[in-house]
Amino acid sequence: MTDVSQADSRDGTAPQSPPPGRYGDTAARDARADRRLKILGAVLGTAFLAMIGWFGYAHITSGNEISAELIKFQITSDEEVRAHLEVRKGESVTGVCTVRALTTDKAEVGRREFTFDQPVKRLDEIVSIRTTARAGSAQLIGCRPSDR
């Protein structure tokens, strides 16, 4: 009767597992790799949840913003400039936009604040600015939600 281990070596087939201790402790390496993957998963999961929270907060608070664009202006006389504004805001937001009139050498000759309280998200308005001298241009300074 032949020994099974001798038969394997005579057949030229390799043994099923490496000799113990030859390649180090694989169980310890696997445990370290598992620990690293768990830590990486926890860090990435936390970052993902923080990102979702940030987007949710930004979405909820974005309804209070107001923005506008000066589409064009027209100098109607030595004492008046008309400006065409496109205003975007939340329907329940009252906004205030400030427009000024400038001479050709950039001196301010008029300034006015306009309140927009219409319950719409986008509106086009033509506003009038009284000037102390002939203006050369109009400039939108900015818009903000109203305090009231």
Side-chain angles (χ1 to χ4, degrees):
M1 182 156 207
T2 60
D3 187 13
V4 175
S5 62
Q6 290 176 351
D8 286 342
S9 61
R10 278 186 261 147
D11 291 308
T13 59
Q16 294 292 335
S17 62
R22 186 171 198 177
Y23 297 107
D25 188 11
T26 58
R29 269 189 299 168
D30 289 344
R32 282 193 305 268
D34 286 347
R35 194 173 330 119
R36 286 182 186 154
L37 286 175
K38 285 178 185 177
I39 291 170
L40 179 65
V43 168
L44 290 176
T46 303
F48 180 72
L49 288 175
M51 182 182 69
I52 295 297
W54 176 263
F55 288 149
Y57 176 77
H59 178 71
I60 289 170
T61 60
S62 67
N64 295 332
E65 294 177 3
I66 180 169
S67 64
E69 184 177 352
L70 178 66
I71 303 298
K72 63 181 178 178
F73 64 89
Q74 179 183 14
I75 301 164
T76 56
S77 70
D78 287 346
E79 293 88 25
E80 182 184 42
V81 174
R82 289 193 181 154
H84 179 187
L85 298 177
E86 179 182 298
V87 181
R88 293 168 297 282
K89 63 182 190 64
E91 287 185 15
S92 62
V93 175
T94 298
V96 177
C97 294
T98 305
V99 181
R100 69 180 179 173
L102 304 170
T103 62
T104 53
D105 60 350
K106 305 298 183 209
E108 184 175 296
V109 291
R111 177 186 289 242
R112 188 164 169 205
E113 288 189 343
F114 301 95
T115 302
F116 301 102
D117 57 359
Q118 298 90 328
V120 295
K121 290 185 177 183
R122 181 187 168 280
L123 57 112
D124 284 322
E125 289 287 323
I126 297 177
V127 295
S128 178
I129 302 113
R130 303 283 298 164
T131 62
T132 57
R134 183 159 185 88
S137 66
Q139 180 182 34
L140 174 66
I141 295 175
C143 295
R144 58 179 167 67
S146 176
D147 296 334
R148 45 177 164 130

